[in-house]
Amino acid sequence: MHMADALISPVVGGAMWAATAGVAAYSVKKVQNDLDEQKIPLMGVMGAFVFAAQMINFTIPGTGSSGHLGGGMLLAILLGPYAGFLAMASILVIQALFFADGGLLALGCNVFNLGFYTCFIAYPLIYKWIMRKGYSTGRIFTGTMLSAIVGLQLGAFSVVLETLLSGKSELPFGTFVMLMQPIHLAIGVVEGLVTAAVVGFVWKARPEIIEKAASGEALGRVSIKKVLAGLAIVAVITGGVFSWFASAYPDGLEWSMFNTSGKEELEAPGGIHQTLAAVQEKIAFLPDYGFKVQEQETNANAAETEEAWPAVDAGTSVSGLVGGVMTLLLAGMTGYCIYMIKKRNKAGAV
Amino acid sequence: MSNMIASLYNIRLLDELAEKRTIIHNIHPLIKVLTTCVYLIVVVSFNKYELSGLLPLVFYPVIIIALADIPIVPLLKRMLVVAPFIIGIGLFNPLFDHSPMVVLPWIQISGGWISFFSILLKGVLTILAALVLIATTGMTRIAAALGMMRVPRVFILQLLLTYRYISVLIEEVGRTVRAYSLRSRGEKGIRFSDWGSLTGQLLIRTLERAQRVYHSMCCRGFAGDYNVGSEKRIQIGDILYFTGWGLYFVVIRYFNIPAAIGSLITGV
Amino acid sequence: MSHHIIQANNLKYTYPDGRQALNGVTFQIQHGESVGIVGANGAGKSTLLMHLVGILFPDEGEISVGEVPVIKKTLPVIRQSVGMVFQDPDDQLFMTTVYDDVAFGPRNYKLPEGEVEKRVKSSLETVGILHLMDRPPYKLSGGEKRAAAIATVLAMKPDILVMDEPSSALDPKSRRRLITLLKRFTHTKIIASHDLDMVLELCERTIILNNGQIITDGTTLDILANEELMEKCGLEMPLGLQGCPVCGAKKAT
Ligand SMILES: Nc1ncnc2c1ncn2[C@@H]1O[C@H](COP(=O)(O)OP(=O)(O)OP(=O)(O)O)[C@@H](O)[C@H]1O
Ligand SMILES: [Mg+2]
């Protein structure tokens, strides 16, 4: 469920980058303040472990199919939230660079979706809360299961919001949610089961690993108040977005904002979108740039809208097609020429 | 198993490509990172019905791939692996958006299809940009660039360690899984009863390794900080590279060149 | 630097799980000496070496290097003069290129980058792998990895080299190259190994550990040729000192 560059807008990508960078900077500070430099190689090697462990096929009993480990929860449990978040970020950086898995612009989204909710919400509020009276096989199972599922649900919902706010996809909000949440419930159950099995095993073999990770951790001291305050803010924002959906589209499901015309869009109550659109406009150099200049008279106020209807005009369509094909041909030829010239130079040099 | 081998192969291939010495490889890593950022922002800033205007951006990966001697087949393969999610989400656009947008004499194309292809093209361009960056720069020099961008050194060291131990641990995990499957008669995955013990053992071994790595770092004076080695200075050529591409991207962003060429040819 | 005497006095160490790994170890090693530490698996060799570089601290007894006690406070000094080569080079080569790995130590001591480069290149040259400078560690053979690991330590300019099983997992040729290399070093050398033939070639002195205690400490030839003693410690005479399996003749030594 890695977000891809192609599906996000610069505003959403940038905002999520900023959020992620903020959380990461705070985490780095926390890790450094711990004065536990032993954690640094541990984070590095654990990150690599999760990367490798993600490739293990776990046969799911009774289905014949197999599932995988994501590892966010495992990292949080073993390293604590701050180091866990950073380790997850490293994994995602490498995946984005070497595997083009989730892009570089979407990296902010992905680190947030996969790292923030597990490390800073599911871990402290669910896992730690369940373990507050000490560890036991049962509690480890419940805590790990629940936090893995909740973490993934929040992450999946985040993907939905990011995609819709980016406005590249036509998927209606309701459909997308109905698609993402159940799938990620299944993924979350597998994730929870694997993590619970691993944590349970390690706890039995070497209890100090699991218990030390949590107790020596500064998070033990993190005030629940702060976390709750943070959650409240998230809730208010989410609530705001929702009520704005609800008021704009009473049926509550069809969120078709991004394929309605600019005018209706502006009439939609609530300032969030206007602000977003304004920011978007600053970032998108020429957001209303359509297919053809001549359309600009008909769309006099187009500058304020973000998705003006482009021309429906056979002439411009044909010329667009012809020009596009020409451009691609030219690009291909350029590449080929460079390649041939280099080859000849090489042959000449030998 | 096969996915582990494929991942290792992929990482090693990109590493190997990064060791080449072409004009592109010699450009300062910070400049390449920044150019990539500008490129990505420009690509995704095009609105969703934009297709022809995006096309000139194809020149960037094409030229770099040609100049840097990057083989195309592995890039295409990588793209095929990543594409399903993009296609999966993108395919809903033609489902939900039927308004006619492009009207050709012989066919009418709906906005949904246009935005679908726009997403697809953006996908191709952004994926190529990331792969081309790493294939011409390599992890070590990316880390140096991050250092120059004031990314905390702790994070950089941690990132490098993760990267370094991926090779070691994929091999270790691979050995264990292979040994397991040799004794489990044709089953593809790890049985439910062994989920915890197999992964847990691996995890404990990993933690022990982390401990040893830490010790060997300490023996060489590690005290929580890391000095990223210095990278060579930014030169005129680097600045020209950045401004050149930057200008090109901005021009492409503002002017729909293909449409202009098209109307020149068709006389519309 | 003629005063880098290593002095260990009645070292005792118990692992957190209750296993006593060192049980009163006392010895003194002079500057420039080459000492082999041998003993069966679990005898406590690695544990002892870790005390020399301050990875572990004794529960009882004390250890000092060149009159500096090995305690938390003196670690920066100790680690500059004692270099340790670990058993698994993958644990020691933790950076992404050989160059960065060898540079890691000098950079931690905040040397100017020019000096770092000089040190890296000369260490790599010494171990004969200068040409592998830009390689990632996973692309090195076992022998090259070992050489790189030694170079990372040499770049710190230590006076004392401590090595844990340096010849394990090496093919005969790489092993031979390693021995030749180590012979050239004038550092004080402390080598823990199961490769008794190598100990015989490199070290004039040998300490046998068993169950965390020193059984004997003396001239390598005397000790390793003592069949009875070796048997008692769960060891075997080095092949170089055993009779020829074909003709039964003892090899002249
Ligand atoms: N981290 C540890 N925790 C608990 N016990 C340990 C630990 N490391 C070693 N031991 C125990 O301490 C004893 C000495 O171990 P040590 O590693 O020093 O032996 P060694 O002589 O190096 O053996 P080998 O030849 O196998 O390398 C062994 O019994 C071992 O089981
Ligand atoms: Mg040992």
Side-chain angles (χ1 to χ4, degrees):
Chain A
M1 83 163 187
H2 287 19
M3 272 302 270
D5 279 354
L7 294 172
I8 60 167
S9 69
V11 180
V12 171
M16 294 312 286
W17 252 103
T20 296
V23 177
Y26 184 70
S27 301
V28 165
K29 220 166 155 194
K30 276 286 184 188
V31 169
Q32 274 176 326
N33 283 353
D34 266 2
L35 281 182
D36 184 7
E37 76 251 13
Q38 189 169 348
K39 239 191 190 150
I40 294 160
L42 183 60
M43 286 151 72
V45 178
M46 268 305 293
F49 172 76
V50 165
F51 193 105
Q54 284 176 344
M55 294 172 203
I56 301 177
N57 286 321
F58 295 99
T59 312
I60 299 166
T63 61
S65 62
S66 60
H68 292 270
L69 180 71
M73 212 44 226
L74 190 63
L75 286 173
I77 291 173
L78 286 167
L79 301 172
Y82 306 109
F85 181 79
L86 294 175
M88 197 70 211
S90 292
I91 296 175
L92 291 166
V93 168
I94 291 168
Q95 284 177 340
L97 278 172
F98 285 84
F99 297 86
D101 213 352
L104 293 175
L105 271 186
L107 190 58
C109 298
N110 286 323
V111 175
F112 202 87
N113 298 348
L114 294 167
F116 182 81
Y117 299 110
T118 40
C119 291
F120 292 103
I121 291 185
Y123 176 75
L125 296 184
I126 300 173
Y127 181 82
K128 289 281 284 190
W129 189 77
I130 290 178
M131 299 307 156
R132 76 192 182 287
K133 285 195 190 132
Y135 291 78
S136 75
T137 315
R139 285 201 204 112
I140 287 180
F141 182 80
T142 327
T144 315
M145 266 317 261
L146 273 181
S147 46
I149 291 173
V150 170
L152 272 162
Q153 284 296 303
L154 289 172
F157 189 63
S158 199
V159 169
V160 172
L161 284 187
E162 285 153 8
T163 309
L164 291 187
L165 287 174
S166 292
K168 303 259 150 122
S169 165
E170 300 287 345
L171 259 174
F173 175 73
T175 318
F176 204 0
V177 166
M178 291 316 288
L179 217 67
M180 289 292 277
Q181 304 307 132
I183 292 178
H184 283 87
L185 183 63
I187 296 177
V189 169
V190 175
E191 171 84 10
L193 284 174
V194 178
T195 313
V198 177
V199 174
F201 177 86
V202 175
W203 182 70
K204 275 202 195 112
R206 304 268 302 274
E208 78 279 2
I209 293 177
I210 303 296
E211 292 171 11
K212 200 181 86 195
S215 68
E217 177 52 50
L219 187 95
R221 281 177 263 128
V222 115
S223 74
I224 287 290
K225 258 189 221 154
K226 264 191 205 162
V227 179
L228 283 182
L231 265 188
I233 295 172
V234 173
V236 168
I237 294 176
T238 322
V241 173
F242 267 121
S243 50
W244 166 63
F245 283 152
S247 57
Y249 305 98
D251 62 25
L253 278 184
E254 267 295 326
W255 184 30
S256 48
M257 166 179 107
F258 288 105
N259 56 21
T260 51
S261 80
K263 266 202 182 127
E264 277 166 36
E265 211 179 296
L266 285 178
E267 280 156 15
I272 296 174
H273 181 248
Q274 272 160 346
T275 328
L276 261 185
V279 182
Q280 167 103 25
E281 226 163 279
K282 292 219 175 70
I283 293 198
F285 306 94
L286 237 183
D288 61 321
Y289 192 81
F291 265 45
K292 197 65 178 118
V293 194
Q294 67 188 46
E295 278 325 313
Q296 261 173 13
E297 296 112 16
T298 47
N299 268 335
N301 61 347
E304 294 151 31
T305 67
E306 118 180 27
E307 307 265 339
W309 279 109
V312 181
D313 174 317
T316 46
S317 296
V318 170
S319 68
L321 185 70
V322 171
V325 170
M326 291 296 295
T327 311
L328 280 184
L329 275 178
L330 208 59
M333 266 160 55
T334 314
Y336 187 71
C337 284
I338 296 175
Y339 174 75
M340 287 313 282
I341 291 170
K342 288 194 74 156
K343 207 168 155 189
R344 185 166 312 154
N345 282 352
K346 230 177 253 170
V350 170
Chain B
M1 269 320 294
S2 58
N3 54 352
M4 297 191 199
I5 294 167
S7 305
L8 267 190
Y9 174 78
N10 179 57
I11 291 184
R12 292 181 179 184
L13 173 79
L14 286 167
D15 261 354
E16 219 155 85
L17 293 177
E19 276 171 34
K20 290 189 178 179
R21 285 286 155 259
T22 68
I23 317 174
I24 303 295
H25 287 80
N26 287 335
I27 288 169
H28 197 282
L30 180 61
I31 294 293
K32 272 185 279 189
V33 170
L34 293 178
T35 311
T36 308
C37 288
V38 176
Y39 179 74
L40 291 176
I41 292 173
V42 168
V43 169
V44 303
S45 75
F46 276 90
N47 84 31
K48 69 176 168 191
Y49 294 120
E50 195 79 61
L51 197 51
S52 62
L54 266 169
L55 286 173
L57 290 171
V58 171
F59 275 95
Y60 171 74
V62 165
I63 289 178
I64 306 256
I65 287 170
L67 281 177
D69 277 339
I70 302 174
I72 301 168
V73 177
L75 295 187
L76 293 181
K77 270 194 198 152
R78 200 65 242 158
M79 211 135 30
L80 284 182
V81 176
V82 186
F85 179 69
I86 301 176
I87 295 179
I89 300 289
L91 259 182
F92 283 94
N93 284 9
L95 269 176
F96 286 98
D97 179 0
H98 302 288
S99 50
M101 167 134 329
V102 172
V103 185
L104 297 175
W106 62 93
I107 197 176
Q108 245 191 25
I109 302 174
S110 73
W113 281 108
I114 298 290
S115 60
F116 168 67
F117 283 113
S118 173
I119 286 179
L120 217 55
L121 182 57
K122 282 172 189 156
V124 169
L125 296 179
T126 51
I127 290 169
L128 280 180
L131 290 175
V132 157
L133 171 67
I134 193 72
T136 60
T137 316
M139 197 61 194
T140 315
R141 300 183 74 211
I142 296 258
L146 291 179
M148 296 177 85
M149 290 159 81
R150 299 268 174 276
V151 172
R153 292 189 287 206
V154 169
F155 182 75
I156 297 177
L157 176 58
Q158 203 250 124
L159 178 64
L160 286 174
L161 283 168
T162 301
Y163 173 64
R164 159 72 178 108
Y165 282 100
I166 280 175
S167 301
V168 176
L169 290 180
I170 286 184
E171 273 175 7
E172 190 167 331
V173 170
R175 275 197 301 274
T176 308
V177 171
R178 194 180 313 128
Y180 179 91
S181 60
L182 281 178
R183 281 177 290 158
S184 67
R185 268 200 254 142
E187 276 171 57
K188 265 197 266 153
I190 310 297
R191 263 188 312 259
F192 183 65
S193 56
D194 304 327
W195 284 12
S197 54
L198 183 125
T199 323
Q201 299 275 16
L202 279 169
L203 178 67
I204 291 176
R205 286 220 296 273
T206 304
L207 295 174
E208 278 162 4
R209 182 187 290 280
Q211 186 77 15
R212 295 196 302 270
V213 171
Y214 171 62
H215 289 154
S216 90
M217 289 168 80
C218 286
C219 283
R220 285 188 270 151
F222 175 70
D225 201 0
Y226 169 62
N227 278 326
V228 187
S230 63
E231 190 47 55
K232 64 181 169 53
R233 278 161 183 257
I234 293 178
Q235 277 151 359
I236 299 285
D238 298 320
I239 293 175
L240 284 178
Y241 177 86
F242 180 70
T243 29
W245 280 121
L247 278 177
Y248 177 71
F249 300 153
V250 169
V251 168
I252 297 308
R253 185 62 189 83
Y254 278 99
F255 302 99
N256 189 334
I257 307 277
I261 296 176
S263 47
L264 254 181
I265 295 176
T266 56
V268 176
Chain C
M1 292 266 190
S2 60
H3 42 266
H4 276 104
I5 299 169
I6 300 169
Q7 175 82 52
N9 215 339
N10 194 29
L11 298 180
K12 288 191 180 168
Y13 182 80
T14 308
Y15 277 102
D17 63 355
R19 162 89 200 186
Q20 178 152 30
L22 294 182
N23 189 7
V25 172
T26 305
F27 60 83
Q28 190 179 43
I29 294 172
Q30 305 297 329
H31 176 76
E33 252 190 308
S34 229
V35 181
I37 300 195
V38 301
N41 288 129
K45 304 180 295 290
S46 300
T47 311
L48 176 61
L49 295 192
M50 286 197 259
H51 280 77
L52 292 175
V53 283
I55 290 172
L56 297 176
F57 298 99
D59 299 329
E60 238 179 85
E62 60 276 331
I63 184 163
S64 63
V65 174
E67 273 141 39
V68 181
V70 181
I71 48 172
K72 270 238 156 70
K73 231 171 59 197
T74 58
L75 284 186
V77 189
I78 296 291
R79 285 171 176 170
Q80 251 178 324
S81 66
V82 187
M84 170 132 173
V85 180
F86 286 79
Q87 185 167 351
D88 182 353
D90 270 331
D91 296 338
Q92 189 143 14
L93 304 173
F94 44 76
M95 297 301 288
T96 48
T97 66
V98 171
Y99 184 98
D100 279 344
D101 243 314
V102 181
F104 186 85
R107 278 177 185 158
N108 275 332
Y109 283 92
K110 306 268 187 301
L111 296 177
E113 200 62 22
E115 170 67 16
V116 171
E117 185 176 341
K118 228 187 288 163
R119 282 206 187 183
V120 172
K121 290 200 167 146
S122 88
S123 319
L124 287 174
E125 195 135 47
T126 309
V127 297
I129 54 164
L130 187 57
H131 57 290
L132 302 178
M133 196 165 79
D134 293 321
R135 286 266 180 101
Y138 62 76
K139 267 201 207 158
L140 304 179
S141 71
E144 289 164 345
K145 270 189 196 170
R146 191 77 55 168
I150 293 173
T152 65
V153 170
L154 291 182
M156 304 278 291
K157 301 216 168 165
D159 306 294
I160 300 160
L161 273 180
V162 176
M163 287 181 250
D164 200 350
E165 320 244 8
S167 64
S168 66
L170 291 188
D171 67 16
K173 239 192 187 149
S174 315
R175 174 178 169 276
R176 177 50 51 198
R177 213 174 296 131
L178 174 81
I179 293 176
T180 319
L181 176 71
L182 293 180
K183 264 188 182 161
R184 294 208 318 263
F185 290 166
T186 52
H187 306 73
T188 307
K189 279 170 282 195
I190 301 170
I191 302 173
S193 185
H194 294 293
D195 181 351
L196 299 185
D197 287 276
M198 179 184 70
V199 171
L200 188 62
E201 255 186 89
L202 284 175
C203 311
E204 60 271 18
R205 177 176 161 197
T206 295
I207 292 175
I208 297 190
L209 274 185
N210 198 15
N211 280 327
Q213 281 178 314
I214 294 185
I215 300 291
T216 31
D217 177 353
T219 321
T220 304
L221 252 181
D222 292 348
I223 290 175
L224 296 191
N226 186 339
E227 213 169 337
E228 204 181 324
L229 179 69
M230 297 296 281
E231 195 70 34
K232 200 181 107 203
C233 302
L235 298 168
E236 227 177 31
M237 271 167 59
L239 287 175
L241 292 179
Q242 283 176 17
C244 165
V246 181
C247 65
K250 285 251 178 187
K251 192 181 164 187
T253 38

